[in-house]
């Protein structure tokens, strides 16, 4: 029997900007509503970033998160995952503080430093809603997203050992899997652990299904049955890659963080719309979706009662 598919939904992220879609959640109410609707549609994990309610700029302060984390928790049983990727250009301290304050069941952890180029999106837009958006995209031409061994180790100790938070290990390329393996061998990552394979970010592995197959094969060799894996792909690759993962026995992530679209040139009106679409694909393949409690059990999470919000 195939395992039920764990759907993660990432409602807003720190990459897309308000000009790109009127449906991108920005305010605490919008983020909470998007998360709750996504959970109702079948997402068992919600991966969260926060934004300045006035400008939509990534704002990773704990006090901003605290305006929506309790609301989501009270309305859903979904696992709440607080990003430590934050917004491009933030320091590691700024990126970690929301998670160490909220002590969530899960947090993301990016497994290697890399070029992170979102500047190609500049070509698609000319009238910007806010002053910060254009320079934010432009600066990524000369930007390295820093995730060193020292900072990864710090997060594993501080958040993992200190708070019992488990991670969504974001791996954008083959080498990042080997970085996970290094920390597994050091005893700082313990099974079961959750690998999120990321495709289609400029600077990481391209959105080619051969890359997915290869990363999955290597992850199987490195980790055997001690891990759960999931796939996300940026932009128009989101649904095909998510589907491929489900067909191979993996899990998947959707959400406006990774793609603003629901079909060719068609903006998604909500996160729930993407969750509903992938859920229907999963169910039409004869597979089931995992409940939040099934996800908790498979990932050995500490439980929704053990968080600080
Ligand atoms: N938007 C993803 C490609 C994080 O939050 O830690 C990257 C991400 C990073 O999810
Ligand atoms: Zn994220």
């Amino acid at each position: 029997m195939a395992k039920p598919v764990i759907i993660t939904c990432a409602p807003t992220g720190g990459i897309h900007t308000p000009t790109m879609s009127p449906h991108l959640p920005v305010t605490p109410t919008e983020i909470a509503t998007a998360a709750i609707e996504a959970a109702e549609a079948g997402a068992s994990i919600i991966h969260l970033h926060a934004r300045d309610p006035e400008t939509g700029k990534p704002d990773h302060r704990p006090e901003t998160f605290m305006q929506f984390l309790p609301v989501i928790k009270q309305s859903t049983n979904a696992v709440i995952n607080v990003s430590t990727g934050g917004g491009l250009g933030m320091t590691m301290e700024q990126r970690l503080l929301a998670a160490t304050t909220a002590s969530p069941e899960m947090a993301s952890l990016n497994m290697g430093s890399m070029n992170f180029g979102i500047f190609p999106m500049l070509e698609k837009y000319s009238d910007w809603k806010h002053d910060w958006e254009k320079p934010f995209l432009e600066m990524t031409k000369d930007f390295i997203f820093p995730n060193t061994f020292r900072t990864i180790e710090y997060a594993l100790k501080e958040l993992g050992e200190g708070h019992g938070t488990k991670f969504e290990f974001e791996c954008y390329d083959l080498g990042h899997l080997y970085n996970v393996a290094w920390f597994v061998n050091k005893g700082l990552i313990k099974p079961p652990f959750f690998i999120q394979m990321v495709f289609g970010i400029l600077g990481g592995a391209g959105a080619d299904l051969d890359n997915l197959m290869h990363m999955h094969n290597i992850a199987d060799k490195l980790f055997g049955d001690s891990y759960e894996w999931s796939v996300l792909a940026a932009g128009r690759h989101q649904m095909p890659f998510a589907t491929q993962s489900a067909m191979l026995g993996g899990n998947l992530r959707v959400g406006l963080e990774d793609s603003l679209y629901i079909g060719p040139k068609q903006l998604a009106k909500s996160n729930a719309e993407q969750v509903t679409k992938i859920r229907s694909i999963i169910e039409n393949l004869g597979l089931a979706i995992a409940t939040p409690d099934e996800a908790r059990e498979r990932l050995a999470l500490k439980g929704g009662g053990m968080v600080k919000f």
Side-chain angles (χ1 to χ4, degrees), residues 47 49 83 170 253 257:
H47 166 117
H49 292 245
S83 166
E170 304 220 7
R253 177 171 126 179
E257 169 162 351

Side-chain angles (χ1 to χ4, degrees), residues 10 13-15 47-49 60 81-87 95 107-110 116 145 147 168 170 172 196 198-199 201 232-234 253 257-258:
I15 291 175
H47 166 117
L48 289 157
H49 292 245
H60 223 63
N81 170 338
V82 173
S83 166
T84 69
R95 287 163 51 188
S108 66
L109 190 57
N110 295 267
F116 202 112
F145 182 38
N147 299 287
E168 175 194 15
E170 304 220 7
Y172 301 72
Q196 187 72 259
V198 181
F199 301 93
I201 297 288
L232 79 86
R253 177 171 126 179
E257 169 162 351
D258 306 323

Side-chain angles (χ1 to χ4, degrees), residues 147-187:
N147 299 287
T148 65
F149 288 104
R150 188 186 66 77
T151 57
I152 293 170
E153 183 175 319
Y154 179 77
L156 290 171
K157 288 188 173 159
E158 186 73 16
L159 195 52
E161 294 182 351
H163 289 264
T165 298
K166 299 237 357 181
F167 295 96
E168 175 194 15
F169 292 110
E170 304 220 7
C171 294
Y172 301 72
D173 222 327
L174 203 56
H176 297 182
L177 294 177
Y178 286 88
N179 295 347
V180 173
W182 195 84
F183 284 108
V184 171
N185 291 336
K186 288 281 164 214

